[in-house]
């Protein structure tokens, strides 16, 4: 017996898996560059969110057309991947359609794979049309030029090719079964590929085998390629959407976290027994930096958010600032964060795990002041995101850095804050006049 | 005499050994902004009419700190919060009602961790409760046939999921409630939040309040109802920018109710 195909297959599979785990490690390391944050609360709610939002796609269907198409592709991919299991076993052990013993259940399985494959093809084509022919607003914003645009299309092409290969493989297989070819177990029902297997009418068994084998190999190699493409792509969301919805915000959207380091200082200031001139203790840690100017200042959930973002632009298409032509785009905030995080990660890679200052940071080099100050903190982006990403929290952390570390607020805001400090109101009115309205006519 | 507002302060009541059931948190806009002061007074009329046991902090109230926090000045925010909490805890405040969604959000969500744990309600929720308890009644005849559209304040709606209380009130007014294409959780911001109220907008094609006003005008309302003093200002300016002030009024829900009852 000839074991070469089995060995080649095992090697290809091993390479694919090794490369993938290398990327997963990198991903994990990069996300962990973020600050720690306590997410041990509300466990039942978190699980529910994950089940509803990621598994159940509850937020996708807010937009019915995109939502429906997405569910088709999502369900299609998950279910068709059962087939991958069979392919792997067949590949490793030299069997053919190893699950065929399931009998009629197998027929149903293969038939549903085929129907789903067809639906996926249709959906993918419609997705492509929306991006490239209809050119929906949210897919042609400035941050979608270059790689993000190509990435979006490339994913669609890969999915299309994988589905076509799957159906071609089945079509040839079906013909071979009809020809009683050796090794081609009579199994499966082929409601879709059965149709265009007519194309193979009259083809010889040997050329059919060539087609079937080629499609089979390309299909599995394609899947391994796709798996490893994820790390470089917005398509990472197919994995990260799950943890991301689990770790997403579980408090009211309007609740912004209170900075603990500030609380300590404020308490000290308000404490009449504290000596304001006391020298800090010898072993006191250096004062914590307020807010965020680079990715390491964000917490790891925010960095996970960045890797999970699928660049769909639902956030941006509901952002009041973006809708009125301001530079701010919440999607770009997430994309910038990921790009910078990748840059920092590469820096670590080449410097053996040490970060060598590259003179760049997220603030300024990626995200401008103008973008940050345009936000109304309205939470429309947070509400719109189908996988619980919170671009607003990053904007707020960066504003904190600008104001508390750099005193770099727009002058109007400095006036406002000065007023609050001096009179307890954002306008220059005396606090003693606060009740005057009650006496006015 | 009938028109005189009764506005007891916490200090007064405390001095005479009384403890009101609820603190009315007026907020900076409600205290100082000419337009918002009218909302404050309308709500006071309702409180008076319903004989609610309430008080205000008056000169002891200070900015909740919301604009400072959203501008990034956590330090100033917490200073404000801690000061206010000290005052309120000294008066043993349990329940707060406010006409400002920004104060509502901050007091309700961000004060507890700093030592200020209160039951906080928005005035639209409070008025609904008054109606339910039979403390006030509504005939609503004066709005018959009027079209009212309701603009969701971000800090009441999305931020805290209060969508129905204000709508319930409008429906009780016998008016026709018409929804804008972006409403409830998809409601478009008026442009004031996140401390934008206090600065010039960034460069762009349009002002946010004008865009939101256009959405309101699309449904041809007689009245744009709001539940936030800042939204009110923004929408009023938007209506002016669109030269519609003769046909569209921008009113707070408290004003709608106070007018209906001819208070
Ligand atoms: S919170 Fe800021 S970034 Fe998000 S939609 Fe509103 S204005 Fe845009
Ligand atoms: S943040 Fe969410 S809504 Fe915005 S582009 Fe990313 S995935 Fe889409």
């Amino acid at each position: 017996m000839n074991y070469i195909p089995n060995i080649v297959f095992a090697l290809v599979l091993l390479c694919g898996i090794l490369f993938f785990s290398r990327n997963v490690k990198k991903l994990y390391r990069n996300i962990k560059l973020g600050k720690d944050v306590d997410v041990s609360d509300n466990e039942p709610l978190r699980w529910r969110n994950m089940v509803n939002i990621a598994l159940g796609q509850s937020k996708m269907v807010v937009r019915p057309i995109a939502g429906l198409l997405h569910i088709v592709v999502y369900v299609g991919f998950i279910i068709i991947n059962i087939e991958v299991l069979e392919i792997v076993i067949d590949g490793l052990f030299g069997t053919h359609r190893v699950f065929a013993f399931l009998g009629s259940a197998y027929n149903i399985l293969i038939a549903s794979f085929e129907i789903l494959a067809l639906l996926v093809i249709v959906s993918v084509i419609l997705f492509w049309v929306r991006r490239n022919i209809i050119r929906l607003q949210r897919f042609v914003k400035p941050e979608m030029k270059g790689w993000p645009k190509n990435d979006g299309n490339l994913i669609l092409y890969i999915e299309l090719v994988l589905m076509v290969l799957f159906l071609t493989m089945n079509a040839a297989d079906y013909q071979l079964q009809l020809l009683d070819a050796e090794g081609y177990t009579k199994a499966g029902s082929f409601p879709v590929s059965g149709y265009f297997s007519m194309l193979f009418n009259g083809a010889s068994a040997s050329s059919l085998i060539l087609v079937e084998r080629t499609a089979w190999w390309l299909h599995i190699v394609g899947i391994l390629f796709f798996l490893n493409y994820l790390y470089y792509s917005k398509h990472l969301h197919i994995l990260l959407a799950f943890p991301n919805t689990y770790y997403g915000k579980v408090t009211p959207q309007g609740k912004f976290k209170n900075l603990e380091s500030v609380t300590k200082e404020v308490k000290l200031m308000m404490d009449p027994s504290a000596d304001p001139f006391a020298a800090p203790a010898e072993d006191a840690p250096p004062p914590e930096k307020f807010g965020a100017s680079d990715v390491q200042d964000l917490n790891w959930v925010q960095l996970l958010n960045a890797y999970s973002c699928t660049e769909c632009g639902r956030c941006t298409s509901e952002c009041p600032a973006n809708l009125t032509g301001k530079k701010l785009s919440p999607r770009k905030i997430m994309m910038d964060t990921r790009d910078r995080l990748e840059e920092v990660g590469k820096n670590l890679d080449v410097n053996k795990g040490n970060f060598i200052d590259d003179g760049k940071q997220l603030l300024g080099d990626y995200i401008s002041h103008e973008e940050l100050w345009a936000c109304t903190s309205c939470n429309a982006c947070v509400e719109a995101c189908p996988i619980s990403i919170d671009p607003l929290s990053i904007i707020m952390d960066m504003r904190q850095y600008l104001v508390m570390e750099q005193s770099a607020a727009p002058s109007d805001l400095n006036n406002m804050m000065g007023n609050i400090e001096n009179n307890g109101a954002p306008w220059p009115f005396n606090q003693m006049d606060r009740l005057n309205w009650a006496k006015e006519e | 005499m009938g028109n005189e507002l009764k506005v007891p302060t916490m200090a007064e009541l405390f001095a005479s050994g009384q403890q009101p059931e609820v603190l009315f948190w007026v907020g900076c806009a409600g205290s100082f902004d000419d337009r918002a002061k009218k909302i404050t007074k309308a709500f006071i009329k309702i409180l008076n009419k319903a004989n609610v046991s309430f008080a205000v902090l008056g000169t002891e109230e200070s900015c909740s700190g919301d604009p400072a926090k959203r501008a990034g000045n956590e330090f100033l925010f917490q200073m404000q919060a801690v000061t206010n909490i000290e005052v309120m805890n000294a008066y043993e405040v349990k329940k707060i009602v406010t006409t400002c969604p920004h104060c509502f959000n901050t007091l309700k969500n961000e004060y507890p961790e700093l030592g200020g744990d209160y039951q906080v309600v928005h005035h639209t929720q409070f008025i609904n409760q008054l109606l339910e308890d039979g403390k006030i009644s509504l005939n609503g005849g004066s709005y018959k046939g009027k079209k009212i559209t309701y603009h969701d304040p971000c800090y009441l709606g999305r931020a805290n999921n209060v969508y129905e209380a204000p709508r319930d009130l409008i429906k009780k007014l016998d008016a026709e409630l018409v929804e804008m294409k972006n409403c409830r959780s998809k409601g478009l911001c008026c442009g004031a939040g996140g401390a934008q109220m206090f600065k010039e907008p960034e460069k762009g094609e349009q002002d946010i309040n004008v865009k939101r006003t256009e959405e309101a005008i699309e449904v041809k309302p007689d009245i744009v109802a709001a539940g936030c003093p800042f939204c009110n200002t923004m929408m009023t300016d938007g209506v002016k920018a669109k030269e519609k002030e003769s046909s569209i009024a921008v009113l707070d829900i408290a004003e709608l109710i106070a007018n209906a009852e001819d208070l």
Side-chain angles (χ1 to χ4, degrees):
Chain A
M1 203 172 154
N2 180 5
Y3 286 110
I4 292 179
N6 307 39
I7 295 167
V8 172
F9 183 86
L11 284 176
V12 169
L13 190 65
L14 193 70
C15 283
I17 291 172
L18 282 181
F19 197 68
F20 179 67
S21 56
R22 193 192 75 131
N23 281 341
V24 169
K25 267 194 217 123
K26 249 191 219 175
L27 190 67
Y28 185 79
R29 178 202 64 191
N30 289 357
I31 288 173
K32 280 295 190 183
L33 290 175
K35 288 201 217 156
D36 207 11
V37 54
D38 182 17
V39 279
S40 59
D41 58 326
N42 289 296
E43 235 180 80
L45 176 60
R46 289 178 184 280
W47 282 111
R48 234 179 303 137
N49 282 347
M50 190 174 99
V51 169
N52 290 339
I53 302 172
L55 201 64
Q57 308 260 302
S58 59
K59 286 206 146 184
M60 281 304 295
V61 290
V62 173
R63 299 194 181 182
I65 300 177
L68 190 72
L69 294 177
H70 187 266
I71 285 181
V72 169
V73 176
Y74 160 77
V75 173
F77 251 72
I78 289 183
I79 297 193
I80 295 169
N81 275 331
I82 301 176
E83 172 71 9
V84 175
L85 188 66
E86 183 178 51
I87 292 181
V88 169
I89 297 176
D90 283 349
L92 286 175
F93 300 105
T95 47
H96 188 72
R97 295 202 181 264
V98 67
F99 293 155
F101 69 89
L102 293 171
S104 57
Y106 187 74
N107 291 349
I108 296 172
L109 222 51
I110 297 292
S112 50
F113 294 163
E114 290 224 329
I115 291 165
L116 279 168
L118 181 67
L119 288 173
V120 169
I121 290 177
V122 172
S123 304
V124 162
I125 292 173
L126 290 175
F127 272 143
W128 186 86
V129 168
R130 284 159 60 88
R131 273 177 190 265
N132 299 282
I133 310 280
I134 307 176
R135 291 169 63 80
L136 286 186
Q137 265 267 325
R138 62 186 159 113
F139 297 127
V140 293
K141 294 267 173 186
E143 68 266 23
M144 294 308 284
K145 300 232 156 65
W147 170 244
K149 178 178 179 205
N150 297 336
D151 182 25
N153 282 329
L154 207 58
I155 292 165
L156 296 177
Y157 300 146
I158 298 175
E159 286 174 346
L160 186 74
V161 167
L162 285 177
M163 291 301 113
V164 168
L165 285 171
F166 174 71
L167 291 173
T168 311
M169 172 184 97
N170 277 355
D173 196 296
Y174 180 52
Q175 281 294 318
L176 284 161
Q177 291 182 24
L178 293 180
L179 291 178
D180 286 324
E182 193 202 326
Y184 284 89
T185 329
K186 285 202 170 37
S189 119
F190 305 94
V192 178
S193 65
Y195 266 101
F196 68 94
S197 74
M198 267 114 69
L199 292 175
F200 296 135
N201 267 347
S204 70
S206 58
S207 48
L208 281 172
I209 292 177
L210 188 68
V211 171
E212 192 273 337
R213 282 292 92 189
T214 311
W216 187 93
W217 275 97
L218 287 177
H219 180 66
I220 187 66
V221 170
I223 284 176
L224 288 173
F225 170 78
F226 203 29
L227 184 70
N228 281 294
Y229 175 75
L230 295 183
Y231 179 72
Y232 308 94
S233 160
K234 70 171 186 110
H235 215 53
L236 204 44
H237 79 279
I238 65 169
L239 303 176
L240 295 189
F242 294 89
N244 202 70
T245 46
Y246 180 88
Y247 293 118
K249 193 167 182 171
V250 284
T251 49
Q253 281 176 13
K255 178 178 177 172
F256 294 9
K257 66 175 195 299
N258 293 329
L259 270 190
E260 255 173 70
S261 48
V262 171
T263 311
K264 272 185 224 134
E265 272 190 50
V266 168
K267 288 245 162 81
L268 209 64
M269 279 183 70
M270 309 290 277
D271 180 5
S273 62
D275 176 4
F277 303 108
E282 286 282 313
D283 54 354
E288 206 180 313
K289 172 174 165 184
F290 295 125
S293 62
D294 209 347
V295 285
Q296 297 97 322
D297 305 325
L298 298 169
N299 68 47
W300 66 261
V301 173
Q302 291 170 313
L303 300 185
L304 172 66
N305 276 186
Y307 272 123
S308 307
C309 175
T310 170
E311 298 169 14
C312 68
R314 289 180 182 219
C315 51
T316 295
S317 72
E318 311 233 339
C319 170
N322 194 277
L323 282 170
T324 53
K326 318 291 191 289
K327 254 179 89 184
L328 172 63
S329 160
R331 167 173 56 192
K332 177 175 174 292
I333 301 286
M334 301 319 299
M335 294 168 70
D336 286 344
T337 305
R338 177 172 178 172
D339 288 349
R340 172 60 184 160
L341 183 54
E342 269 301 296
E343 188 174 56
V344 170
K346 289 206 183 98
N347 187 316
L348 289 171
D349 289 340
V350 296
N351 297 308
K352 304 192 181 64
N354 298 313
F355 180 72
I356 308 288
D357 188 9
D358 57 358
K360 285 204 230 166
Q361 57 173 11
L362 183 60
L363 177 67
D365 295 305
Y366 287 83
I367 300 173
S368 65
H369 294 204
E370 182 181 341
E371 289 163 74
L372 295 172
W373 290 117
C375 173
T376 72
S377 74
C378 71
N379 264 306
C381 52
V382 182
E383 179 75 32
C385 181
I387 51 171
S388 312
I389 289 171
D390 186 351
L392 173 56
S393 71
I394 297 180
I395 296 173
M396 281 300 142
D397 286 359
M398 296 184 81
R399 279 191 182 183
Q400 283 181 345
Y401 177 83
L402 283 177
V403 170
M404 291 195 286
E405 294 284 348
Q406 304 220 297
S407 309
S411 62
D412 289 341
L413 289 188
N414 280 331
N415 289 339
M416 177 272 285
M417 293 186 281
N419 288 328
I420 294 182
E421 229 174 300
N422 299 324
N423 337 306
W427 299 288
F429 293 112
N430 193 320
Q431 184 160 2
M432 284 303 124
D433 294 336
R434 234 183 144 93
L435 197 53
N436 289 4
W437 57 268
K439 287 159 239 146
E440 291 163 9
E441 235 330 280
Chain B
M1 175 63 208
N3 286 334
E4 196 122 311
L5 298 177
K6 284 184 295 231
V7 194
T9 63
M10 275 289 183
E12 287 161 15
L13 292 190
F14 200 73
S16 61
Q18 284 167 278
Q19 169 81 20
E21 275 160 31
V22 57
L23 167 71
F24 171 26
W25 181 276
V26 182
C28 299
S31 302
F32 293 121
D33 180 83
D34 283 333
R35 178 66 189 84
K37 282 194 258 185
K38 293 191 182 140
I39 302 170
T40 307
K41 288 185 195 168
F43 185 54
I44 293 274
K45 284 179 190 163
I46 297 169
L47 291 173
N48 284 169
K49 167 96 178 193
N51 269 320
V52 174
S53 152
F54 79 98
V56 298
L57 282 170
T59 55
E60 289 185 284
E61 187 185 282
S62 188
C63 175
S64 69
D66 158 83
K69 187 173 179 87
R70 317 292 140 178
N73 197 336
E74 180 73 9
F75 200 81
L76 181 53
F77 158 70
Q78 291 202 16
M79 291 291 284
Q80 288 299 116
V82 170
T83 314
N84 284 322
I85 288 168
E86 235 170 53
V87 173
M88 289 192 286
N89 285 354
Y91 286 126
E92 291 169 23
V93 169
K94 305 252 161 6
K95 182 170 179 178
I96 304 174
V97 59
T98 176
T99 44
C100 174
H102 294 264
C103 297
F104 167 74
N105 175 69
T106 303
L107 295 169
K108 175 171 165 289
N109 294 321
E110 291 161 357
Y111 274 32
E113 275 166 27
L114 301 171
D117 225 329
Y118 319 105
Q119 186 201 345
V120 188
V121 295
H122 186 243
H123 69 307
T124 55
Q125 298 172 310
F126 195 81
I127 298 172
N128 263 312
Q129 193 61 49
L130 291 179
L131 282 166
E132 223 167 88
D133 297 345
K135 299 256 177 70
I136 50 168
S137 56
L138 273 184
N139 306 319
S142 44
Y143 293 98
K144 213 171 192 102
K146 293 252 192 251
K147 262 188 174 177
I148 303 184
T149 189
Y150 172 68
H151 163 78
D152 285 282
C154 304
Y155 275 87
L156 189 63
R158 266 190 300 275
N160 289 292
N161 283 313
V162 180
Y163 298 113
E164 297 314 323
R167 289 183 166 79
D168 285 347
L169 289 175
I170 294 174
K171 285 180 201 148
K172 284 182 187 132
L173 285 172
D174 254 354
E176 185 192 348
L177 173 64
V178 284
E179 295 288 0
M180 289 181 247
K181 71 167 190 265
N182 291 315
C183 64
R184 291 197 170 83
S185 65
K186 281 173 77 90
L188 183 71
C189 175
C190 72
Q196 295 295 341
M197 183 74 189
F198 307 99
K199 61 184 264 299
E200 287 303 313
E202 271 57 37
K203 214 164 79 273
E205 291 148 12
Q206 196 182 22
D207 283 341
I208 297 174
N209 64 328
V210 174
K211 177 153 185 79
R212 184 53 167 167
T213 306
E214 283 172 358
E215 294 191 355
I217 292 173
E218 261 173 44
V219 297
K220 302 194 173 59
D222 299 298
I223 296 167
V224 176
C228 169
F230 297 105
C231 296
N232 193 306
T233 303
M234 290 310 240
M235 296 305 283
T236 306
D237 290 350
V239 168
K240 274 189 203 136
K242 288 271 150 192
E243 298 181 353
K244 290 275 182 202
E245 61 264 50
S246 57
S247 57
I248 300 179
V250 181
L251 291 170
D252 191 273
I253 308 259
E255 295 176 303
L256 289 177
I257 306 275
N259 293 349
E261 285 311 288
D262 212 7
L263 297 176

